[in-house]
Amino acid sequence: MTDNTFYTDESMQGQYKLFDLGDFVLEEDHETLRGAKLAYRTFGHLNQAKDNAVLVTTWFSGTGKIMEDVYIGANHALDPATYFIIVVDQIGSGTSSSPNNTPVPQSHARFPKVRIGDDVRAQHKLVTELFGIDSLALVVGGSMGGQQVYEWAVRYPSAVRRAAPIAATARISHHQVIFTQSLQEALTSDPNWNDGWYKAGTDVRTGMGRMAKIVANLGWSAEFYQEERWRTVLGMSSPTDFINGVMKAYFDPMDPNTLLAQIWKWQRADVSRHTGGDIAAALGRIEADTLVLPISHDLFFPPHEHSADHALIPNSELRVIESKEGHFALNGFEPNYMGQVDGHLRDLLAR
């Protein structure tokens, strides 16, 4: 295991609990993740009918802390006074079972390959066994979290009454595969990578910095740079100040193997594997009232890809969230972003 307080320090991650999954058999090669744990946090109270539960999933590099800080609260659609909100961290996130916190022989570079389907099976186990919930009022998440939303809606159609994938598609595109491969290469090109057997994540800081710069290129829109929104929205004094003070600073404390585990998973997100590669058949299984929410200037998951998914989902609606912050609008930097998201989610929950 790697000593990395970023994932355990309460000031950084807030309070979360661990659900014991036991020895959890994975999709890939049917390898068993020994003593698997799922990190989660809850807000509000489950009503007697158990019909007010909302599941919130997390994205690449993120944990439930960002969802807690940005998406949940009395002024949001996800209001704990009304809903019982479960925020769950994906496997490989650094808080749930991950390369940095799993003991030998599955630590570091030997951490098993985990798929989004494994995340959702683990989350289903948490929801049904710990809380006794058979039906979720809403499953919502952004980016890789949105990929988990699609997996939930296709794998467990009768358990999801409403679904809201934000800035995510049901199947990864060739464009995203190439992009994520460049992130892998940036990390592993670091002279101190040592095939994943580094002593501390900070040893791989050069590779992490390269990866951060690639993410900065596509994670934000061209307009974000052209209009110097790094200045007006984020308060940075120059592009260099933004790259060093925001992007590199964001990734610096994280664990490289943990990020690679999530990237590998991201590259294989595809609900059509349930239907022999037929994406129309897979999305046709969805029973949830679905709101597909692309971000207008997103270069990771462009709106036209969302439109293609929407066209195949029964009882679905497409609403574009306007933001020149691109994919990183998900973090709530721009006040107008959350206002739009809350409005759309309130409409969906009122149905």
Side-chain angles (χ1 to χ4, degrees):
M1 295 191 287
T2 305
D3 183 18
N4 189 329
T5 58
F6 173 72
Y7 299 108
T8 56
D9 189 326
E10 189 171 308
S11 66
M12 297 179 184
Q13 297 300 338
Q15 295 183 344
Y16 61 86
K17 297 178 181 178
L18 293 174
F19 175 66
D20 188 359
L21 293 166
D23 291 343
F24 192 69
V25 180
L26 305 170
E27 286 186 29
E28 188 72 11
D29 298 325
H30 299 291
E31 186 171 359
T32 299
L33 179 56
R34 311 287 175 185
K37 303 288 192 299
L38 200 61
Y40 72 97
R41 59 196 82 198
T42 63
F43 307 89
H45 300 282
L46 185 63
N47 63 19
Q48 188 172 4
K50 296 188 176 183
D51 63 0
N52 69 329
V54 172
L55 182 70
V56 181
T57 53
T58 53
W59 55 64
F60 168 68
S61 76
T63 66
K65 178 59 174 168
I66 182 67
M67 310 311 293
E68 175 184 353
D69 290 346
V70 177
Y71 288 80
I72 297 168
N75 297 321
H76 294 294
L78 302 184
D79 184 353
T82 303
Y83 301 102
F84 177 59
I85 303 163
I86 308 165
V87 184
V88 61
D89 293 3
Q90 60 175 291
I91 300 171
S93 62
T95 51
S96 295
S97 288
S98 303
N100 59 290
N101 60 26
T102 298
V104 293
Q106 295 184 311
S107 65
H108 296 79
R110 289 208 185 104
F111 188 72
K113 301 299 185 186
V114 180
R115 290 179 178 264
I116 283 177
D118 298 316
D119 283 312
V120 171
R121 287 191 301 112
Q123 293 164 14
H124 185 266
K125 188 177 176 71
L126 167 75
V127 167
T128 58
E129 294 185 9
L130 185 61
F131 299 113
I133 298 168
D134 296 321
S135 176
L136 292 161
L138 170 68
V139 182
V140 57
S143 194
M144 277 189 76
Q147 292 174 325
Q148 293 163 59
V149 173
Y150 276 118
E151 180 74 16
W152 259 100
V154 171
R155 182 184 282 268
Y156 302 114
S158 64
V160 182
R161 302 204 302 278
R162 301 174 188 84
I166 308 171
T169 53
R171 177 167 61 183
I172 191 168
S173 67
H174 297 302
H175 164 259
Q176 291 173 42
V177 170
I178 294 170
F179 163 67
T180 54
Q181 286 173 343
S182 70
L183 303 185
Q184 289 173 312
E185 291 168 3
L187 282 172
T188 58
S189 67
D190 191 299
N192 295 320
W193 167 242
N194 195 30
D195 292 327
W197 296 98
Y198 48 82
K199 292 183 179 180
T202 51
D203 295 343
V204 194
R205 182 166 289 162
T206 298
M208 295 280 272
R210 291 170 182 160
M211 183 194 70
K213 200 165 187 178
I214 294 169
V215 173
N217 183 40
L218 287 180
W220 305 81
S221 70
E223 289 82 356
F224 173 81
Y225 291 101
Q226 291 166 349
E227 298 176 13
E228 298 190 357
R229 295 174 72 84
W230 38 264
R231 187 191 307 277
T232 56
V233 174
L234 300 180
M236 309 308 287
S237 60
S238 69
T240 299
D241 190 37
F242 163 69
I243 293 295
N244 290 332
V246 175
M247 298 306 301
K248 291 184 179 180
Y250 173 74
F251 286 110
D252 265 351
M254 299 181 187
D255 179 73
N257 274 317
T258 290
L259 293 173
L260 285 168
Q262 294 172 71
I263 290 170
W264 189 93
K265 187 194 304 183
W266 180 356
Q267 292 171 339
R268 288 156 181 82
D270 182 2
V271 296
S272 75
R273 73 192 190 289
H274 293 293
T275 52
D278 187 338
I279 189 67
L283 294 179
R285 292 168 58 169
I286 296 177
E287 299 176 10
D289 190 350
T290 303
L291 201 55
V292 179
L293 297 171
I295 297 173
S296 60
H297 290 63
D298 190 350
L299 300 177
F300 283 1
F301 298 90
H304 72 272
E305 294 182 5
H306 296 73
S307 297
D309 287 340
H310 156 61
L312 299 175
I313 303 171
N315 196 30
S316 68
E317 182 181 355
L318 179 78
R319 295 189 185 181
V320 179
I321 301 166
E322 295 294 332
S323 177
K324 292 182 179 180
E325 272 53 78
H327 196 71
F328 269 86
L330 284 165
N331 291 274
F333 294 112
E334 181 185 21
N336 291 335
Y337 167 80
M338 272 314 303
Q340 294 176 76
V341 171
D342 283 330
H344 297 322
L345 293 183
R346 285 192 182 101
D347 288 348
L348 180 60
L349 286 163
R351 296 174 183 174

